[in-house]
Amino acid sequence: MILADWIVLGITAFFCLLGMLFGFGKGLKFFTGGIFGFFISVVVCYALGGLIYNFGFVQDALNSMCTALAENGSGFCNFLLKIHIDVIVYYVGLFIAVTIIRLIIVKVIKSIVEIDNVFLIILNKTFGVILFVGVMFMLMLFAFQIVALIGGNTQADFLLKLSGSKLKLDWLFEHNPFMTIIKYIRIEIPVTP
């Protein structure tokens, strides 16, 4: 085993310990709050935005807003139409709705898994370990992605240090799913005529 394997095993053991100490409920609240929660809401809005936008009542509401602005005809209303205020209002409203739903779901899950019952305590600790190790794995993939984006000698040296890993870290670095996702992401904002 190479040094990177031992480092990853040590960090994994540390995250397992954190998962046991904090449990799933507190871990979920931490990882879905603050900047993490903001990022989760943005990703969900990006993923579901186009789907929800195609619902008839959403398009009707946004079209009636654009029609009202166009009928006003003032310079400010024309500016709002030019910057597609309807799309901005839609995504801001969707972000607020997703954030509220996320907070409610996390609060309900946290209150259920932290009930003082032997079975739920064991379940809370077990899923806490799974959650924390999953977060550690995601952070490792994110670090790999940053090194790959830097590229050049940094990437080559990093890959050389990972070669021969018993945990297959070199393979994971070369086949990072984050890099695959980034290659195929296209941001498309629906625009009303």
Side-chain angles (χ1 to χ4, degrees):
M1 285 182 52
I2 62 173
L3 178 62
D5 289 336
W6 290 108
I7 292 172
V8 168
L9 287 175
I11 293 172
T12 303
F14 177 71
F15 272 79
C16 284
L17 182 64
L18 288 176
M20 288 285 294
L21 289 174
F22 293 109
F24 184 74
K26 289 179 183 164
L28 185 66
K29 184 175 183 200
F30 175 76
F31 289 121
T32 58
I35 191 71
F36 296 118
F38 178 82
F39 181 71
I40 289 170
S41 293
V42 168
V43 169
V44 170
C45 286
Y46 174 75
L48 298 179
L51 176 70
I52 296 171
Y53 185 83
N54 289 326
F55 290 160
F57 69 93
V58 173
Q59 285 185 351
D60 292 342
L62 294 175
N63 287 338
S64 60
M65 182 175 72
C66 287
T67 304
L69 288 172
E71 287 173 356
N72 185 306
S74 71
F76 182 68
C77 289
N78 289 336
F79 170 74
L80 292 177
L81 287 171
K82 192 169 230 37
I83 65 168
H84 297 288
I85 192 67
D86 56 331
V87 176
I88 294 170
V89 166
Y90 166 70
Y91 276 102
V92 167
L94 183 62
F95 178 80
I96 291 169
V98 165
T99 301
I100 290 170
I101 292 169
R102 175 181 52 85
L103 291 172
I104 290 170
I105 290 172
V106 167
K107 187 144 181 97
V108 168
I109 291 173
K110 183 178 182 298
S111 64
I112 290 172
V113 297
E114 291 187 345
I115 293 174
D116 194 17
N117 176 320
V118 174
F119 175 73
L120 288 175
I121 290 172
I122 293 170
L123 196 65
N124 186 24
K125 300 297 182 184
T126 304
F127 280 115
V129 169
I130 292 169
L131 174 67
F132 275 80
V133 170
V135 167
M136 186 256 346
F137 186 72
M138 296 282 285
L139 290 173
M140 183 175 70
L141 289 178
F142 184 67
F144 284 1
Q145 175 188 351
I146 290 172
V147 172
L149 289 174
I150 292 171
N153 290 337
T154 305
Q155 181 181 0
D157 292 343
F158 191 76
L159 187 56
L160 185 64
K161 289 180 181 177
L162 294 180
S163 65
S165 167
K166 297 287 185 195
L167 299 177
K168 301 294 183 195
L169 297 175
D170 49 351
W171 181 88
L172 187 62
F173 179 78
E174 292 175 337
H175 299 89
N176 188 346
F178 281 170
M179 289 305 293
T180 305
I181 291 168
I182 284 178
K183 287 178 188 174
Y184 295 107
I185 283 182
R186 287 175 294 178
I187 297 177
E188 296 178 14
I189 298 175
V191 178
T192 55

